[in-house]
Amino acid sequence: MKKIKLAHLYPKLLNIYGDKGNVLALKCRCEWRGIEIEIDEINIGDSISEHDIYFIGGGQDLQQIEVSKELERHKEFLTQERDRMAVFLGICGGYQLMGHYYQPHNGERLNGISLLDAYTIAGDKRFIGNVTVKTDLTDNGTLVGFENHSGLTYLQGETEPIGTVLIGNGNNGKDMTEGARYKNVFGTYLHGSFLPKNPQFADYLIELAIGSKPEPLDDKIETLTHSSLINKKY
Ligand code: GLN
């Protein structure tokens, strides 16, 4: 089994609500299967080389300004990585920067790197609470998590949602979509952190990265956690 290389983008700036837990979930779920995984933290000023998986967490508008400027330096390379089907996962603020732009309430529009055909505009209301999503991407058909964002994200072109909101707001609280996917680039508003509560989605990302379905794990605790959150409002 080949070694998986994961790049954790800007963890010192975009790691709100423990989004680093997503990297830990992928690390554990690989190591529990004997799949070697190397995790490289990429910070401001660092160069970026080829990786199998790229992860970027969420953050406040202020931190997004700095990361937006830095990401522009890597836009061409990361677009090439997307087009060779590398796996990306962006959470909330990181997700927003994977689209064309994020227009915060105050101040300049932040440029994204357009890995997703999507754009985000800050709304008047902050969406905070539990979210349940119906999805075709996992056998159990659901994704759960926690949202806290004022950004309203709209999808265009061939960029599809990762699911339909059953509880909560998702991308914009209007079209009942949540998250986005184009090729192997995924974005979601679900914090929690997301992957530990959605082990089947974590394994789907690993499958895309290694090119084969990973052997099943004993997910009793993860499944109990996931089930306890389905349709949970508060
Ligand atoms: N600052 C962005 C917003 O408010 C993203 C927030 C986040 O990452 N939780 O929409």
Side-chain angles (χ1 to χ4, degrees):
M1 185 72 66
K2 75 167 191 157
K3 175 169 80 172
I4 290 186
K5 290 183 64 181
L6 184 150
H8 187 176
L9 303 177
Y10 314 110
K12 294 193 170 91
L13 290 164
L14 295 183
N15 180 35
I16 201 166
Y17 310 122
D19 285 337
K20 179 171 184 163
N22 292 289
V23 173
L24 295 178
L26 290 169
K27 179 176 186 293
C28 291
R29 297 187 72 82
C30 283
E31 290 176 345
W32 291 339
R33 292 173 165 114
I35 301 171
E36 201 186 341
I37 180 166
E38 172 192 306
I39 294 167
D40 299 321
E41 282 200 5
I42 306 292
N43 291 299
I44 299 293
D46 290 348
S47 57
I48 307 181
S49 60
E50 274 195 17
H51 284 74
D52 304 294
I53 301 176
Y54 295 85
F55 175 78
I56 183 166
Q60 313 285 10
D61 292 11
L62 198 60
Q63 286 73 25
Q64 287 177 281
I65 294 169
E66 196 171 350
V67 173
S68 159
K69 289 192 186 98
E70 181 72 6
L71 275 175
E72 280 198 280
R73 289 195 321 115
H74 305 290
K75 179 173 180 176
E76 189 182 337
F77 170 74
L78 292 173
T79 303
Q80 287 164 2
E81 287 293 272
R82 175 202 65 187
D83 293 342
R84 73 168 185 87
M85 302 304 275
V87 176
F88 288 76
L89 176 63
I91 308 289
C92 202
Y95 164 29
Q96 294 169 343
L97 295 179
M98 294 201 302
H100 300 309
Y101 62 83
Y102 168 45
Q103 175 60 62
H105 266 298
N106 313 310
E108 302 277 298
R109 174 180 288 192
L110 307 188
N111 290 328
I113 51 174
S114 301
L115 298 183
L116 295 166
D117 190 356
Y119 61 93
T120 301
I121 300 171
D124 299 331
K125 197 167 156 250
R126 177 160 281 274
F127 293 149
I128 300 176
N130 288 299
V131 183
T132 300
V133 174
K134 183 168 157 301
T135 183
D136 299 334
L137 298 177
T138 60
D139 294 341
N140 60 12
T142 49
L143 297 169
V144 293
F146 184 87
E147 64 183 337
N148 183 332
H149 59 103
S150 65
L152 307 175
T153 297
Y154 299 93
L155 310 183
Q156 303 177 136
E158 294 174 70
T159 294
E160 298 289 327
I162 61 172
T164 307
V165 175
L166 299 176
I167 297 274
N169 298 280
N171 281 331
N172 52 53
K174 298 189 194 84
D175 63 15
M176 305 319 282
T177 64
E178 159 50 23
R181 176 187 193 172
Y182 177 62
K183 296 189 177 178
N184 285 341
V185 177
F186 298 88
T188 179
Y189 273 110
L190 301 188
H191 292 288
S193 39
F194 176 55
L195 292 180
K197 296 177 176 173
N198 299 282
Q200 293 186 7
F201 192 84
D203 285 354
Y204 180 48
L205 297 184
I206 294 170
E207 178 183 345
L208 292 171
I210 62 177
S212 59
K213 213 169 180 49
E215 66 185 64
L217 291 172
D218 172 1
D219 280 334
K220 252 198 298 308
I221 296 175
E222 293 83 351
T223 305
L224 260 177
T225 306
H226 182 95
S227 311
S228 72
L229 291 165
I230 292 176
N231 295 332
K232 180 176 163 68
K233 271 184 177 291
Y234 304 101

